[in-house]
Amino acid sequence: MPVSTEKDAVEAVFRIESPRVIAAVARIVRDVGIAEELAQDALVAALERWPETGVPDNPGAWLTATARHRAVDLVRRRETYARKLAEIGRDLDEAVAEPEFAAAEDPDAIDDDLLRLIFTACHPVLSTEARIALTLRLLGGLTTDEIARAFLAQEPTVAQRISRAKRSLARAGVPFEVPYGPERAERLASVLEVIYLVFNEGYAATAGDDLVRPALCEDALRLVRVLAGLMPEEPEVHALAALLEIQASRTNARTDATGAPVLLADQNRSRWNRLLIRRGFAALTRAGELGGAPGPYALQAAIAACHARAASYEETDWAAIAALYRRLAAIAPSPVVELNRAVAVSMAEGPGAGLAIVDALAADPALRAYHLLPSVRGDLLERLGRTEEARAEFTRAAELTRNERERELLRARAAG
């Protein structure tokens, strides 16, 4: 096997296994930055040894065991072994007692570590941007360059953001643990928000030349599926999984062969991924079975399910969607929710009813630079036959958006 191919194979394995390796090591060193460095050391060891010995039957266990032993060596160098044993107790004791390259790991222990890593990377002490970057780095396995390209940022900026995030966690003394009680609910909301934002950036890119970035959608889907497996009794985790599965099912139909956007009304629904829809429905059912009042993600997933069940745009149950948006606005009020409700109301009751809601939002400062406000208003005005006013709104929306594909579509609508 050529050297480059061997290197690619090892790096591909590491990309898959790195979150669990980092999680297992962070339990020992209690510092995600150091844990990531030790995981990288294990990768270097694999690049040196695997081309000669072959890829182990359980490469994840090999990498984890290697990184753990380096973590133990680091701990021993920093403080006396006895003192460190007293500080972290059983975790270190078990790590030392393990055979050098265990053939298998305790999956429950690994899952516990992975859950701790997710909650640590999404800790509220970090800004939203830092949480996203750190999560994609540690749990998504993305390189700094890949994160920078995904969010159209400069690589040094992203690198600094990740480094600052690690330092902030260390300075704040954030414990490597899953919180309980009220803090757990608060922290889980942060975790779900990060995954949701990662998906949204992939589903409808804020800026750049592409409307959709499927790789980010896939990363978010993988993260929420992992989380659903780790927290099977949390209804909003399953609800978010349902929402993302159903939304992702439309990805192939959202752009044409040239990459231009295709509006929901014009999409070829035969291109929607039925497997993802079935997965979404199953996750939504599971969320409902767990009981309790539906949360924001459950309501959004129910809205997505309404679209997925409709054989065509015209057959969509818009009255049900409008009612779901009213419920969503009651528990998670936001001008964006109201804007979406306006669209549903316009389809259920007519464009005039939708326009009244949109006009009431016109003065909201949160929507001042939001291109979808004039875009939606333009659509409603066009349906009311107020063509010149509609063109002005589409022109304004084109000026506000930073996504080139959306800008082209809006300019075309303005031109009539």
Side-chain angles (χ1 to χ4, degrees):
M1 181 186 292
V3 173
S4 60
T5 305
E6 291 174 345
K7 181 174 181 291
D8 291 344
V10 174
E11 290 181 346
V13 169
F14 182 76
R15 185 172 185 134
I16 295 169
E17 300 291 346
S18 63
R20 293 178 181 272
V21 177
I22 294 168
V25 174
R27 174 155 56 96
I28 299 171
V29 298
R30 295 296 200 271
D31 185 308
V32 294
I34 294 173
E36 186 185 14
E37 291 173 7
L38 293 170
Q40 291 289 336
D41 288 345
L43 169 62
V44 172
L47 288 168
E48 292 172 349
R49 294 188 58 176
W50 290 3
E52 298 177 0
T53 62
V55 177
D57 291 337
N58 192 332
W62 193 102
L63 289 164
T64 300
T66 300
R68 275 179 164 171
H69 280 280
R70 291 176 187 239
V72 171
D73 289 342
L74 177 64
V75 168
R76 282 174 168 159
R77 287 196 302 270
R78 286 186 169 181
E79 302 183 35
T80 66
Y81 184 49
R83 179 178 173 187
K84 203 60 183 178
L85 271 181
E87 180 182 332
I88 63 174
R90 181 179 59 84
D91 290 342
L92 182 57
D93 201 17
E94 289 178 353
V96 175
E98 290 172 356
E100 184 175 1
F101 299 122
E105 296 285 345
D106 177 354
D108 292 333
I110 288 291
D111 284 351
D112 286 346
D113 290 339
L114 197 57
L115 191 56
R116 292 184 186 103
L117 183 60
I118 291 173
F119 273 86
T120 301
C122 296
H123 196 284
V125 73
L126 305 176
S127 68
T128 299
E129 293 79 7
R131 284 180 238 166
I132 290 172
L134 191 60
T135 299
L136 289 175
R137 176 70 175 164
L138 299 182
L139 290 149
L142 274 66
T143 65
T144 304
D145 176 60
E146 287 170 331
I147 298 169
R149 282 191 282 114
F151 287 91
L152 301 182
Q154 295 296 316
E155 186 175 356
T157 301
V158 172
Q160 290 173 6
R161 187 174 293 161
I162 293 171
S163 296
R164 283 197 299 268
K166 294 174 186 174
R167 289 196 299 270
S168 295
L169 292 174
R171 276 198 307 269
V174 172
F176 187 68
E177 64 183 18
V178 178
Y180 293 93
E183 186 185 357
R184 177 170 177 159
E186 177 187 345
R187 292 270 296 280
L188 180 58
S190 171
V191 171
L192 297 180
E193 179 192 29
V194 167
I195 297 174
Y196 181 66
L197 291 173
V198 170
F199 181 87
N200 278 352
E201 185 59 30
Y203 190 73
T206 304
D209 297 329
D210 299 312
L211 178 72
V212 178
R213 298 196 180 104
L216 277 181
C217 292
E218 290 165 8
D219 284 325
L221 274 172
R222 182 160 58 86
L223 289 172
V224 78
R225 288 168 183 166
V226 167
L227 192 61
L230 298 177
M231 305 185 75
E233 301 304 313
E234 292 286 350
E236 274 291 83
V237 173
H238 293 286
L240 179 60
L243 173 61
L244 302 196
E245 299 278 10
I246 297 171
Q247 293 289 78
S249 73
R250 305 181 204 160
T251 301
N252 290 338
R254 294 188 65 243
T255 55
D256 64 18
T258 68
V262 179
L263 299 175
L264 180 61
D266 302 323
Q267 286 176 17
N268 178 355
R269 299 191 176 209
S270 68
R271 298 189 66 201
W272 288 7
N273 188 314
R274 307 313 299 184
L275 172 60
L276 293 181
I277 290 173
R278 288 195 295 273
R279 290 179 64 106
F281 286 173
L284 186 57
T285 298
R286 177 58 181 155
E289 291 171 347
L290 289 170
Y297 296 116
L299 292 172
Q300 290 180 75
I303 291 167
C306 285
H307 288 294
R309 291 189 188 100
S312 67
Y313 187 75
E314 292 72 23
E315 294 175 65
T316 304
D317 190 345
W318 291 105
I321 291 175
L324 286 166
Y325 271 121
R326 275 195 296 274
R327 292 175 64 186
L328 180 60
I331 64 171
S334 94
V336 174
V337 170
E338 277 296 285
L339 185 61
N340 285 319
R341 186 172 75 86
V343 174
V345 168
S346 78
M347 296 301 298
E349 303 174 20
L355 185 61
I357 298 172
V358 171
D359 285 347
L361 295 170
D364 195 308
L367 298 181
R368 186 172 294 122
Y370 190 52
H371 71 283
L372 290 182
L373 177 63
S375 175
V376 168
R377 192 168 190 275
D379 183 70
L380 297 177
L381 289 168
E382 187 175 63
R383 287 166 56 192
L384 287 167
R386 295 160 60 177
T387 307
E388 290 305 315
E389 292 174 83
R391 286 177 177 171
E393 293 293 335
F394 289 136
T395 298
R396 181 167 177 268
E399 292 169 351
L400 289 173
T401 185
R402 292 188 291 136
N403 184 281
E404 188 56 39
R405 290 296 189 173
E406 284 188 315
R407 183 177 293 115
E408 290 171 0
L409 173 64
L410 290 164
R411 283 173 174 167
R413 297 195 72 181

